[in-house]
Amino acid sequence: MSQTPISPEEDDLPEQLRIRREKRANLLARDIEPYPVSVPRTKSLTMIRQTYEGLAIDVATGDIESVSGRIIFKRDTGKLCFATLREGDGTTLQAMISLDKVGEDSLASWKSDIDLGDIVSVTGEIITSKRGELSILANDWTLASKALRPLPNEHKPMSEETRVRMRYVDLILRPEARSNARLRPAVMRSLRDTYHEREYLEVETPMLQVQPGGAAARPFKTYSNAYDMDLFLRIAPELFLKRCVVGGIERVFEINRNFRNEGADSSHSPEFAMIESYEAYGDWLTVAELTRALIQNSAMDVFGSHVVRHHDGRESDLGGTWKEISLFDAISEGVGEPVTAQTSMEDLKKFAVKLGIKIDPNWIKGKLAEEIFEHVTAGKLNEPTFVMGFPTDNAPLVRAHRTIPGVVEKWDLYVDGFELATGYSELIDPVIQRERLVEQGRLGAKGDVEAMSVDEDFLRAMEFGMPPMGGMGMGVDRLLMALTGLGIRETILFPLVKPEID
RNA sequence: GGGCCUCUAGCUCAGUCGGUAGAGCAACGGACUUUUAAUCCGUGGGUCGUCGGUUCGAUCCCGACGGGGCCCA
């Protein structure tokens, strides 16, 4: 990592930082405000571009406007200077500063006080240059904000680390960074539109929880001074959304952050956006259809097609109905022998060993079966595929499959080789639910840090009667990955990075 | 958790078979009234991630630590 100081001491600064601070001081000494409260601005660069689209070469419109933007190119010549201004969405406009319009002092100041990266306001006539470039020919200009750090070389890509650490610079320089930042809210809006069309109610449930639940994951632990008690950041909203359904909010969804205290890599972030929804009187097939609609509508709303083009040019077809495979069929094919929920732990271990899977002694049978599946099949599932029917013992919140013993009505959706979403026919029998959670508690006591615990208030809610329902969950970051092919850290504006200096 | 790669100027990167370093862009000084990564002339800028070790001498070799990346479980 570079050694650019985060909190620079005034002496011993790198040359370019020192020079820019001197320029700021010099402006102040001449009673020029480097950070004014406001600057003239009558139109955005986008509005100028729209208004004067198609203007011929070397035209003077007579229209006087004030515009502002960050200087991303600067070409100073003797008596006529050019700069390219850019505003937030990437729209640019050329500014021209000429001796005969602004005078000697102003031109000299432009050359010596203004740097690449500064934000300026320019007032003048909208013209096209002799080369046909739409421009504003300055009658006057003023500094809007002095940049004390130089912009990186625009023509060489910033390293991945610099992009993530200084996303603000990434956003200034890289069009993809700007479009990625705008993609997420567009997808969020599409997801909400789909839910609203189906008369779902959006709710917000607690992120600070007394007892984390709803998923198999390690939580972040924190502490409340006011209550003098440990609290946890939620790993899933599931148990609260189900409480909503008990209360009669029969179609409910939430889009918000979950936190899992686990490894971070190109598809896992410690905090990630998750969508979860529950539909009374639905089942796992109902929510599979919903999930497909959510994803396909997102693709259509954002890209205008179910075929999405990834950043590397690869196309991914999310259209049509999607393939469904059985989890145990996939495992059987992978190991070359029939495997069912009844296959013994000993046999599963033999298969796992043969495949070179490192077995965690805390794994129960269902977990081992899923690990084998992930090893032999998951990564190969590039086209959207529902993997149907999971082992009962590793899915404590899901109801039993109506025909297949030892299996629950749970699917995982795989796209591009990773798990994008999951859906259940939810378990609604409070007695069986209690048995399942008590069993989870036993696993937890034996050292399984991901095991769920018995949430008495959740069980009490169930005991008031929970309607039959289907539920689903989907990672929003992963949806963005499926739509764009990007890594998770590119879909998140400010992913967690370790500090540069300790 | 294990393995591999990587950290050099503001940015992106070369490089030194061990004798304290270079390019492009950026910066500084000068020339230029139509530039588009402007051009031309000149100049400066570095604790070579940190701390140890080996050595007459380490940015380079070795070790530990820290940051980043990739692969594996």
Side-chain angles (χ1 to χ4, degrees), chain A residues 333-350:
Chain A
E333 198 177 314
V335 304
E337 285 186 48
V339 176
T340 69
Q342 282 68 49
T343 301
S344 71
M345 188 69 174
E346 288 64 38
D347 286 347
L348 288 179
K349 277 185 178 165
K350 265 189 286 179

Side-chain angles (χ1 to χ4, degrees), chain A residues 35 89 151 156 287 393 400 415 474-475 482 484:
Chain A
Y35 303 101
D89 66 355
L151 288 176
K156 294 276 188 174
V287 296
D393 60 1
V415 178
M474 174 161 63
T484 62

Side-chain angles (χ1 to χ4, degrees), chain A residues 167 171 175-193 254-258 266-275 294 297-299 301-303 420 474-484 486-496:
Chain A
R167 186 70 83 195
L171 288 166
E176 292 77 21
R178 289 191 286 271
S179 60
N180 291 343
R182 284 166 169 75
L183 180 68
R184 175 184 285 263
V187 168
M188 290 285 217
R189 162 176 275 196
S190 171
L191 292 169
R192 289 193 161 98
D193 285 348
E254 177 165 10
I255 305 183
N256 228 318
R257 225 72 66 80
N258 291 340
S266 60
S267 65
H268 295 82
S269 171
E271 62 175 307
F272 61 99
M274 177 106 174
I275 185 164
L294 287 166
N297 290 350
S298 295
D301 290 345
V302 173
F303 297 112
L420 174 58
M474 174 161 63
V476 173
D477 315 279
R478 290 191 167 197
L479 174 57
L480 290 164
M481 290 164 63
L483 292 172
T484 62
L486 295 166
I488 197 165
R489 278 154 66 92
E490 293 295 320
T491 71
I492 298 175
L493 210 41
F494 297 104
L496 184 68

Side-chain angles (χ1 to χ4, degrees), chain A residues 123-154:
Chain A
T123 299
E125 185 180 3
I126 306 301
I127 63 162
T128 48
S129 71
K130 287 179 181 169
R131 294 287 174 84
E133 181 83 28
L134 185 63
S135 307
I136 181 164
L137 178 59
N139 292 325
D140 196 9
W141 63 269
T142 180
L143 181 58
S145 187
K146 182 71 195 160
L148 296 184
R149 287 176 185 265
L151 288 176
N153 182 355
E154 164 123 29

Side-chain angles (χ1 to χ4, degrees), chain A residues 27 30 32 74 76-79 81 96-114 120-123 138-143:
Chain A
L27 288 164
R30 287 149 51 209
I32 299 170
K74 195 163 179 269
D76 289 347
T77 67
K79 301 185 180 65
C81 300
M96 297 165 64
I97 318 288
S98 75
L99 175 66
D100 56 10
K101 294 283 183 193
V102 302
E104 208 169 307
D105 291 348
S106 177
L107 187 71
S109 170
W110 175 265
K111 289 187 189 177
S112 61
D113 299 328
I114 301 303
V120 295
S121 161
V122 177
T123 299
N139 292 325
D140 196 9
W141 63 269
T142 180
L143 181 58

Side-chain angles (χ1 to χ4, degrees), chain A residues 34 70 86 90 222 245 325 347 349-350 373 381 397:
Chain A
R70 188 183 297 276
R86 184 152 69 199
T222 184
V245 181
I325 64 171
D347 286 347
K349 277 185 178 165
K350 265 189 286 179
F373 163 75
L381 299 175
L397 301 168

Side-chain angles (χ1 to χ4, degrees), chain A residues 200-201 203 241 244-245 249-254 276-278:
Chain A
Y200 274 72
L201 189 71
V203 298
L241 293 175
C244 291
V245 181
I249 305 176
E250 294 184 347
R251 293 179 175 214
V252 66
F253 78 100
E254 177 165 10
E276 271 199 29
S277 68
Y278 295 85

